Amino acid sequence: MVLAFIITTLNGDSPLVLYYQIYGQVVSSKDGSSTDASAECVRRARKRHVARIAETVHSEYQFRREVNNLTPDEDIQRLSNDDTLPDFEVGHFLTSVPVIDESLNLDVARNDQESQHVTWMGAGLTGFILLCDACENRVLAGQVLRLLVRFLQEHVRVLSQPSEVATRVDRVAEVLERVLPDGNLLFMNHRVVRHIEKELDTAMKTAP
């Protein structure tokens, strides 16, 4: 299952998380669950965990681009010329599950906790991240993430205008609802994808 979906900036010295949607148990309390921790502690721990993941992706993306002597301008130029999606940087890594310690008002990642798997894609100024259970199908996660990016670019212009995410949250939610329902990764053939395309085209006619 997907635990969270994140959109973050990739330019500048540090990332800015533009949007995130939580689907599952992203953090845990000292007894192994998140139910005993206060709602505020859970909220803060989730936000810190999302920020740390975005920072890791940002760092990896910047390193790859520097090594390959690539700039975001090239991706933006390609989008401007023919509206074709650019070549994405793609990555995977494992991250520890944060454990909330309310007595210390912080969360600490413990090595003996079950890991979570991160799949990410980035191009231009924007990165897209799926935080999944460690046992999730990574190939399927990559396929679904690529489809999400395709529809988000089509309906939100998120690659060329990442600031649009803040003003078009409803459109982002529409895409997620159909491509990633309740955080479930689904195998989708061409026929299913075409059906989703038609649904989104209809829904976006009335979306802000």
Side-chain angles (χ1 to χ4, degrees), residues 86-153:
D87 294 328
F88 287 91
E89 297 289 348
V90 179
H92 307 269
F93 61 88
L94 292 175
T95 184
S96 298
V97 179
V99 180
I100 302 171
D101 188 338
E102 288 193 88
S103 64
L104 299 176
N105 193 30
L106 51 77
D107 55 274
V108 181
R110 294 196 320 206
N111 292 331
D112 60 346
Q113 290 295 308
E114 183 180 354
S115 296
Q116 297 164 339
H117 176 255
V118 174
T119 294
W120 65 271
M121 294 175 57
L125 307 174
T126 319
F128 308 87
I129 304 165
L130 288 181
L131 175 64
C132 306
D133 288 324
C135 61
E136 188 55 85
N137 186 319
R138 300 179 186 185
V139 174
L140 180 58
Q143 293 171 346
V144 171
L145 183 57
R146 186 172 292 274
L147 192 60
L148 278 170
V149 173
R150 170 188 157 190
F151 286 136
L152 287 171
Q153 174 59 15

Side-chain angles (χ1 to χ4, degrees), residues 29 78 132 149 161-162:
S29 63
R78 182 173 180 180
C132 306
V149 173
Q161 303 174 50

Side-chain angles (χ1 to χ4, degrees), residues 16-61:
L16 173 64
V17 174
L18 301 171
Y19 178 96
Y20 68 92
Q21 174 65 49
I22 303 295
Y23 293 104
Q25 185 173 309
V26 174
V27 299
S28 179
S29 63
K30 290 182 70 175
D31 68 351
S33 71
S34 62
T35 55
D36 292 336
S38 70
E40 180 60 21
C41 278
V42 171
R43 187 192 68 79
R44 289 199 302 266
R46 283 175 173 174
K47 189 173 182 179
R48 285 192 291 263
H49 192 38
V50 166
R52 282 194 293 263
I53 291 170
E55 288 167 3
T56 301
V57 170
H58 177 271
S59 177
E60 177 66 20
Y61 178 82

